[in-house]
Amino acid sequence: MTKIIAVHSYKGGTGKTSMSVNLAATFAKMGKKVCIFDLDFRAPSLFAILKAKDIETWFNDYLNNTCDINKTLIDMSSKITGPGKFYSSLANPATEAIRDMSSKDRKWEMHALGRLLALKDSLLKNDKFDYLIFDTSPGLQYSSINAIVAADYVIVATTGDRSDVDGTKRMLVELYNLFEKKTGLVLNKVLDPSITAKKTEMQNKIKNDYQVPLLGIMPCFCEILRNEGNLIFVQDKPDHPFTKILAEMAKKIENDEIT
Amino acid sequence: MIRNELSSRKPLNILEKIEESLEKLNDKIEVMIEIQKTNGGNNLKTIPTLPDASLDVMTLLSMPDHLRKTAMTICRCTKATAEEIASQTRRARAVESAYLNQLVIMGYLKKERKGRKAYFFIDRETQS
């Protein structure tokens, strides 16, 4: 059963963070207890998108084993309507913290993997969270691979960019397959809106091209780009197609229709 | 003297001790078989013995598939017997026992005995 989801991509700018935040918010709107984690320690951005203030303990501190996970959780449920709970645990954006996280050795990374895996007991089992969502950094970074190993399901965001397509294909074979991870592909920022209407055709094409199931097709919406990550879109625009597509994806994950 | 020692113990205890010794021996034989299989039986020295080597994701990626599966499962379980690992990987207990012992020899895992059971675990404290 899918409980921990890692959102990953080969290249940057594929819409991982926007997708992670809005997927987490979609689950919360469905009444779920969800937490989103910023694992992009080299370029933290969730704190800005979620407009978090006065944070004393970061997700970095949990991985550094200096605090309990609960100390890093920020309750943001007030940003979402509905009975669900929406929490976040954020990466420290201070330059010193970024430098510190960039200089970790293999043993620390191994320890960090242990801390990520321990979230299953602390948050899923004890605190009854329904979903944990890892927003990762692009490519083959230690923190991203740790997240992939700890996750039950990996969402790979990809665009039509040639270099991204090739890199994603390679990553699927050389990374996710080796770890035997359940994976779903999201074709993001699609410029040709007619593609979304050809769902079955695209599903087969993706399955042939990437050898993984298609989780969803997200057209390129100018409103989201114009918005510059200033709001939780699914909350503020409940009738927008973006919100509806994300709700479909969340339902697929919830009903385990992702293979 | 040995006879006196044996006669002072209950027969059941002696049998348990023999069973435990046989299990240890079995583990060792399984490791040797596995090493021979992996190396075509002619180069035992190629198996690296790295005390407290770190079982990080890059190491997992570079492992042969059969060992990666076992290592990934033990990563998730924290501490487990070969039987518990086998129930998750759906491979035979003896096979998992051999792979786990191989990971112990390679320095990635630690092994401890509690009674008749052998537990395998990643010693994150000494490895960090």
Side-chain angles (χ1 to χ4, degrees):
Chain A
M1 201 176 172
T2 299
K3 288 285 178 188
I4 303 183
I5 301 164
V7 183
H8 189 225
S9 69
Y10 177 69
K11 282 189 76 174
T14 53
K16 282 185 306 298
T17 302
S18 170
M19 201 181 297
S20 306
V21 170
N22 285 289
L23 183 65
T26 304
F27 278 128
K29 282 178 74 184
M30 286 162 66
K32 304 290 175 191
K33 188 175 179 184
V34 58
C35 184
I36 181 166
F37 299 82
D38 192 352
L39 270 88
D40 194 350
F41 298 107
R42 292 183 182 211
S45 54
L46 264 189
F47 76 99
I49 291 173
L50 296 173
K51 298 186 182 81
K53 283 176 191 159
D54 305 323
I55 302 166
E56 287 175 7
T57 40
W58 305 86
F59 192 49
N60 311 45
D61 300 315
Y62 169 72
L63 293 183
N64 276 324
N65 211 5
T66 57
C67 74
D68 194 64
I69 188 63
N70 289 305
K71 292 264 182 221
T72 73
L73 298 187
I74 307 158
D75 188 351
M76 298 190 151
S77 307
S78 59
K79 290 182 186 284
I80 304 292
T81 49
K85 292 279 178 192
F86 184 58
Y87 289 83
S88 68
S89 183
L90 307 173
N92 191 342
T95 310
E96 201 183 319
I98 295 172
R99 205 170 49 225
D100 173 57
M101 293 303 271
S102 306
S103 61
K104 299 295 189 191
D105 62 10
R106 296 177 76 149
K107 287 186 176 177
W108 185 92
E109 295 293 353
M110 186 201 70
H111 199 273
L113 173 62
R115 297 286 279 171
L116 286 181
L117 288 164
L119 294 175
K120 285 191 183 190
D121 275 340
S122 56
L123 293 185
L124 294 178
K125 207 167 151 191
N126 298 342
D127 294 341
K128 310 277 182 235
F129 273 83
D130 293 300
Y131 290 103
L132 309 181
I133 297 177
F134 296 149
D135 178 27
T136 67
S137 56
L140 301 180
Q141 308 271 353
Y142 251 115
S143 64
S144 306
I145 307 176
N146 275 345
I148 289 162
V149 171
D152 304 313
Y153 181 59
V154 185
I155 297 176
V156 186
T158 182
T159 60
D161 186 298
R162 187 76 241 157
S163 59
D164 187 35
V165 171
D166 285 352
T168 304
K169 279 184 189 170
R170 219 174 22 250
M171 203 169 62
L172 286 165
V173 174
E174 292 169 15
L175 187 64
Y176 307 133
N177 282 3
L178 290 187
F179 287 130
E180 298 178 11
K181 284 290 151 187
K182 212 156 45 163
T183 308
L185 199 97
V186 174
L187 217 50
N188 203 15
K189 300 183 178 178
V190 173
L191 289 170
D192 178 7
S194 67
I195 282 178
T196 49
K198 303 169 190 164
K199 256 188 195 165
T200 323
E201 198 183 312
M202 280 310 289
Q203 218 133 18
N204 293 334
K205 190 177 169 5
I206 294 291
K207 192 99 190 172
N208 279 336
D209 285 359
Y210 293 92
Q211 305 295 314
V212 292
L214 178 72
L215 178 66
I217 302 170
M218 189 65 83
C220 190
F221 295 113
C222 298
E223 304 90 291
I224 293 173
L225 297 176
R226 221 175 282 132
N227 197 47
E228 295 170 336
N230 272 326
L231 48 81
I232 301 174
F233 211 83
V234 295
Q235 171 60 28
D236 292 43
K237 311 272 182 195
D239 298 320
H240 195 277
F242 177 86
T243 307
K244 289 178 180 165
I245 293 169
L246 265 173
E248 274 175 33
M249 287 188 208
K251 264 184 209 152
K252 269 190 188 176
I253 295 169
E254 172 79 355
N255 299 331
D256 217 11
E257 296 163 357
I258 46 183
T259 47
Chain B
M1 191 177 140
I2 294 168
R3 192 178 291 167
N4 287 343
E5 197 186 321
L6 287 175
S7 60
S8 65
R9 291 191 191 176
K10 287 179 184 171
L12 194 64
N13 286 351
I14 296 168
L15 286 172
E16 278 177 357
K17 201 80 189 163
I18 292 170
E19 191 187 359
E20 200 178 299
S21 302
L22 284 172
E23 274 176 6
K24 278 183 191 170
L25 197 63
N26 194 36
D27 284 348
K28 282 179 187 165
I29 292 169
E30 280 169 352
V31 173
M32 287 170 73
I33 292 169
E34 188 50 42
I35 290 170
Q36 280 194 328
K37 264 195 234 162
T38 316
N39 297 296
N42 52 15
N43 195 2
L44 290 175
K45 283 179 184 170
T46 56
I47 291 285
T49 304
L50 308 167
D52 299 336
S54 60
L55 194 55
D56 63 342
V57 284
M58 297 302 178
T59 308
L60 284 171
L61 272 177
S62 64
M63 272 183 183
D65 292 348
H66 65 288
L67 283 184
R68 188 186 311 109
K69 194 165 193 165
T70 305
M72 292 260 302
T73 312
I74 196 84
C75 274
R76 284 192 292 266
C77 296
T78 317
K79 197 175 206 176
T81 62
E83 198 167 355
E84 286 163 349
I85 298 292
S87 70
Q88 291 194 36
T89 59
R90 294 176 187 179
R91 296 193 290 210
R93 189 210 69 87
V95 170
E96 286 307 340
S97 178
Y99 294 164
L100 285 161
N101 281 305
Q102 199 171 332
L103 290 167
V104 171
I105 291 171
M106 292 162 91
Y108 296 125
L109 300 182
K110 291 265 191 285
K111 181 181 178 179
E112 69 174 15
R113 286 198 167 270
K114 277 185 185 168
R116 273 190 263 167
K117 289 191 170 177
Y119 288 90
F120 297 87
F121 61 100
I122 302 165
D123 190 359
R124 289 203 166 89
E125 294 315 308
T126 61
Q127 290 189 14
S128 60

